[in-house]
Amino acid sequence: MAKDKNRALVATPAYQRAEFSLTMPSGAEMAAGVEVTRGGILSIAVLVSAILLSSAALVRAARVEERFADR
């Protein structure tokens, strides 16, 4: 009986679902939906963190270059 309980837990992955709909005053409509697993959320977080970190490094490098451009 314990094996059946464990099998049921493994067989049902946990999904996060989100839906969005927007209607403009002009009558245009837009709808979107997404379904992501826990691993997907983790990978999205890693990608966003990498993008933010790299953009911060680029801004810092540009500021250092500005400082030395006048010399």
Side-chain angles (χ1 to χ4, degrees):
M1 188 167 210
K3 289 181 182 179
D4 293 334
K5 288 182 183 179
N6 291 337
R7 191 175 305 146
L9 292 175
V10 173
T12 56
Y15 290 99
Q16 299 292 323
R17 293 186 181 112
E19 293 183 6
F20 174 78
S21 63
L22 177 69
T23 304
M24 302 294 284
S26 63
E29 295 181 10
M30 180 178 76
V34 67
E35 188 174 285
V36 184
T37 62
R38 293 177 185 165
I41 291 173
L42 179 63
S43 64
I44 290 167
V46 169
L47 287 171
V48 169
S49 298
I51 290 168
L52 292 175
L53 183 63
S54 65
S55 64
L58 289 173
V59 168
R60 183 178 173 105
R63 287 185 180 173
V64 169
E65 189 175 302
E66 278 181 8
R67 252 186 276 159
F68 291 114
D70 294 337
R71 294 182 184 186

